[in-house]
């Protein structure tokens, strides 16, 4: 019983941080150096502990922030997040000439990586939620709409098992006085009660829009201060990646030119920030045609080189120029073709609202769904875009950044 309680407490970030710092700073010394027991910590030992503790804190904090967003399989983020902070901290330590031991740093990192997978197993045990729902109004079909949770249908006001929360349509006229009393009693007992729209949004990562007032999107303008910080971060990341991207640019240009001798770059007119028309730059991945049409699965216009660069998203790299010009961001809703955008304005409610932020090279819809072509897929994409606009933050952008790395490696959603 004691062991089970300890494991349950490991769900909480402060406990994870305590054990993480203890294990990842102390255990390496068992294999590395025992002199500190008699002589105390010297300057090098202090720096060893400092960089190890920094790596542990930043990695655990980042993974904890990522887990808060819906539809996240945290297992796939452990390695990229760990490697990201491992490289950043090591580079900073080298640049500042800290007297630290690389062997100790590696031993500590192995301990941390092992610890992260153990914590992840414990977290996943508690990730699936059991939710009871009152089948009235728009909450009638919650199990079909949100299959990621375990659902318990309430036909009566008797609830004799543990649930993580109760879901219903709080605006429904079918919510009788008995149900309202039931909700009040369960709230007093500490069981949270959710409106169907809020729980659907938090578990699917999408915002469904039928009426503007439902989510008050008209009043949700992105914070101007964060948008300025976001632009500065975009420029900083592009500059840091420049030595690597220049090599990729050169190799890609040579490959495209050698394959068919055509143009290396392709310029497309797209709808950008606040509906303005922008010229988007891409590596040419298809045979040139007289008219722009949407790409479909197994499109025979795609070249051999084009198939590879589209799968790995290398064809998007020239859009760094659009980002530098301030027309786009690294993260944001996808910029649409003009003709396609005009059609969507007529078919999808409040489609234009997605232009309230700059379009991005990658985005919440792209990493969750991939490219969309039909009206039904596009409707889902818009719901993902609205979720991003509603919850835009550094944390969400960081999640999309790591998820973009994952989709780049796997080729998810490429056409």
């Amino acid at each position: 019983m004691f062991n089970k309680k300890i494991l349950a407490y490991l769900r909480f970030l402060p406990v994870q941080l305590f054990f993480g710092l203890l294990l990842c700073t102390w255990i390496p010394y068992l294999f590395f150096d025992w002199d500190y027991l008699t002589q105390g910590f010297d300057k090098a030992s202090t720096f060893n502990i400092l960089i190890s503790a920094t790596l542990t804190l930043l990695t655990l904090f980042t993974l904890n922030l990522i887990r808060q967003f819906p539809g996240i399989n945290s297992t796939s983020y452990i390695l990229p997040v760990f490697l990201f902070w491992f490289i950043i901290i090591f580079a900073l330590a080298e640049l500042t000439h800290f007297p630290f031991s690389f062997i100790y740093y590696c031993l500590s990192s192995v301990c941390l990586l092992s610890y992260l997978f153990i914590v992840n197993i414990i977290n996943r045990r508690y990730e699936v939620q059991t939710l009871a729902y009152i089948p009235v109004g728009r909450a009638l079909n919650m199990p079909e709409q949100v299959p990621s949770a375990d659902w318990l249908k309430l036909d009566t006001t008797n609830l004799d098992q543990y649930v993580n929360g109760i879901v219903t349509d709080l605006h429904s006229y079918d919510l009788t006085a008995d149900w309202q009393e039931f909700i009040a009693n369960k709230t007093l007992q500490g069981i949270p009660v959710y409106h169907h729209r809020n729980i659907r949004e938090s578990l699917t990562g999408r915002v469904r829009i039928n009426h503007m007032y439902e989510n008050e999107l008209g009043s949700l303008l992105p914070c101007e201060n964060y948008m300025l910080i976001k632009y500065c971060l975009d420029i900083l990341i592009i500059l840091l990646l420049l030595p690597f991207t220049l090599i990729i640019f050169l190799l890609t240009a040579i490959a495209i030119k050698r394959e068919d001798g055509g143009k290396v770059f392709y310029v497309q007119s797209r709808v950008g920030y606040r509906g303005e028309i922008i010229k988007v730059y891409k590596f040419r991945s298809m045979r040139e045609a007289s008219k722009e049409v949407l790409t479909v699965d197994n499109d025979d216009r795609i070249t051999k080189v084009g198939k590879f660069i589209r799968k790995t998203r290398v064809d998007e790299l020239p859009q760094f120029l659009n980002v530098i010009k301030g027309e786009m961001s690294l993260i944001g809703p996808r910029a649409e073709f003009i003709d396609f955008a005009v059609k969507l304005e007529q078919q999808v409610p409040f489609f234009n609202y997605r232009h309230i932020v700059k379009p991005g090279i990658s985005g919440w819809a792209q990493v969750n769904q991939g490219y969309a072509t039909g009206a039904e897929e596009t409707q889902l994409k818009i719901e993902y875009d609205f979720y991003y606009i509603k919850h835009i933050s550094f944390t969400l952008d960081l999640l999309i950044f790591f998820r973009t790395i994952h989709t780049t490696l796997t080729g998810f959603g490429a056409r």
Side-chain angles (χ1 to χ4, degrees), residues 4 13 27 48 60-61 73 101 113 137 147 188 194 224 247 259 261-262 266 268 287 289 341 353 378 381 399:
K4 288 184 178 179
L13 181 61
I27 286 183
N48 285 338
L60 283 170
F61 266 118
N73 177 9
S101 167
L113 196 57
L188 290 175
Y194 304 102
E224 291 186 3
I247 297 173
E259 182 173 14
Y266 181 53
Q268 297 174 323
R287 296 178 184 86
Y353 192 80
T378 302
K381 182 182 72 172
L399 167 60

Side-chain angles (χ1 to χ4, degrees), residues 138 196 200 207-215 349-350 379 383 386:
R138 295 185 179 179
H196 71 97
R200 184 188 294 111
V207 173
R208 298 179 64 182
I209 304 297
N210 295 311
H211 304 285
M212 183 65 82
Y213 69 86
E214 287 188 351
N215 291 278
F350 317 114
Q379 176 67 49
E383 292 175 5
F386 284 160

